[in-house]
Amino acid sequence: MKSALIVAGGKGLRMGTELPKQFLSVGGKPVLMRTLEAFYTYDPEMRIILVLPRSQQEYWKRLCREYRFSVCHTIADGGDTRFHSVKNGLALVEAPGLVGVHDGVRPFVSQEVISRCYALAVEKRAVIPVVDVVETVRHLEGERSTTVNRDNYKLVQTPQVFDAALLKEAYEQPYTSHFTDDASVVEALGIPVFLTAGNRENIKITTPFDLRIATALIDSCSI
């Protein structure tokens, strides 16, 4: 059984809008709909679970009616933090199987990346997509900073895909602020995480600049 948790709890603060960023329109369609469609296209039989704050659920349902959005999905309540949101969604995930956790505002993840992450997770149990760091990186130490070797660092994307039973076990741990993504929660159990190549277009839309990039991607690729 394959499942996907699409986590969408944004409030639009960095976007500077009253409308949460996952509901903003890109190319004539809300960002979140494009994200769900990416996973439905990969596997129409997989279970898609949308984790959304309760206060936003009625608005989402209205959008679905307005756009005649037909991708089948289940809604779970968002929590106070991303950790608690994912934990709520996991309560609806069946094990054994595979579960991917994906940011609701990453609509441009490629089919190749989704497919590879799920395929590798069968053996590796914990797989995350990453891309190279292309900028020079400096490490801060008080008022000083030094250049570090960027080849030793990667930028992490989603979906992060795991053995479902493993991820459920990991999320039984007490929450700490060190849990910045699902991989960090699994690593706290002592389980290694396997890295695979992501796709550069798989941006997280959080700022007005990101929104302009997203529009350009749609215009240039007819996504």
Side-chain angles (χ1 to χ4, degrees):
M1 177 70 179
K2 285 183 285 191
S3 302
L5 296 184
I6 310 299
V7 184
K11 298 178 180 178
L13 298 180
R14 279 180 286 179
M15 189 66 73
T17 64
E18 292 185 4
L19 188 65
K21 56 198 174 188
Q22 59 266 23
F23 300 140
L24 293 175
S25 178
V26 175
K29 185 184 298 183
V31 169
L32 191 52
M33 289 184 183
R34 292 185 176 277
T35 303
L36 268 66
E37 286 174 342
F39 285 83
Y40 178 80
T41 300
Y42 160 64
D43 183 357
E45 300 300 319
M46 81 184 314
R47 186 174 191 193
I48 299 176
I49 300 167
L50 173 60
V51 187
L52 198 63
R54 187 172 296 179
S55 61
Q56 298 176 8
Q57 291 176 14
E58 187 54 41
Y59 181 75
W60 168 248
K61 291 174 183 177
R62 290 203 305 270
L63 280 180
C64 288
R65 291 192 294 269
E66 178 183 342
Y67 284 84
R68 295 182 173 84
F69 186 66
S70 60
V71 171
C72 184
H73 61 282
T74 304
I75 298 178
D77 291 342
D80 292 337
T81 68
R82 188 182 188 279
F83 176 93
H84 296 96
S85 292
V86 173
K87 187 171 183 176
N88 288 350
L90 281 173
L92 304 180
V93 171
E94 298 178 9
L98 299 174
V99 56
V101 185
H102 189 69
D103 297 319
V105 288
R106 288 187 188 269
F108 300 124
V109 58
S110 72
Q111 292 296 297
E112 179 185 1
V113 168
I114 297 174
S115 178
R116 187 168 59 249
C117 286
Y118 275 90
L120 286 169
V122 174
E123 175 189 356
K124 302 297 185 181
R125 302 184 71 209
V127 177
I128 63 173
V130 299
V131 293
D132 292 337
V133 178
V134 296
E135 307 282 0
T136 297
V137 178
R138 295 186 69 82
H139 175 67
L140 302 181
E141 296 178 291
E143 296 182 355
R144 300 182 59 203
S145 66
T146 55
T147 300
V148 297
N149 185 353
R150 65 187 175 198
D151 293 338
N152 293 332
Y153 297 87
K154 298 290 183 182
L155 300 178
V156 177
Q157 300 182 333
T158 62
Q160 301 187 2
V161 184
F162 306 89
D163 173 89
L166 170 62
L167 194 61
K168 281 174 166 283
E169 178 186 357
Y171 270 87
E172 290 304 315
Q173 299 175 100
Y175 169 74
T176 81
S177 59
H178 299 296
F179 292 156
T180 56
D181 64 357
D182 310 288
S184 61
V185 181
V186 168
E187 283 177 326
L189 290 180
I191 303 297
V193 173
F194 185 81
L195 308 184
T196 190
N199 63 295
R200 182 65 64 178
E201 301 84 3
N202 187 16
I203 61 172
K204 188 174 183 180
I205 302 174
T206 59
T207 69
F209 180 69
D210 299 331
L211 200 59
R212 290 196 293 272
I213 293 176
T215 300
L217 283 171
I218 291 173
D219 289 344
S220 62
C221 302
S222 298
I223 297 176

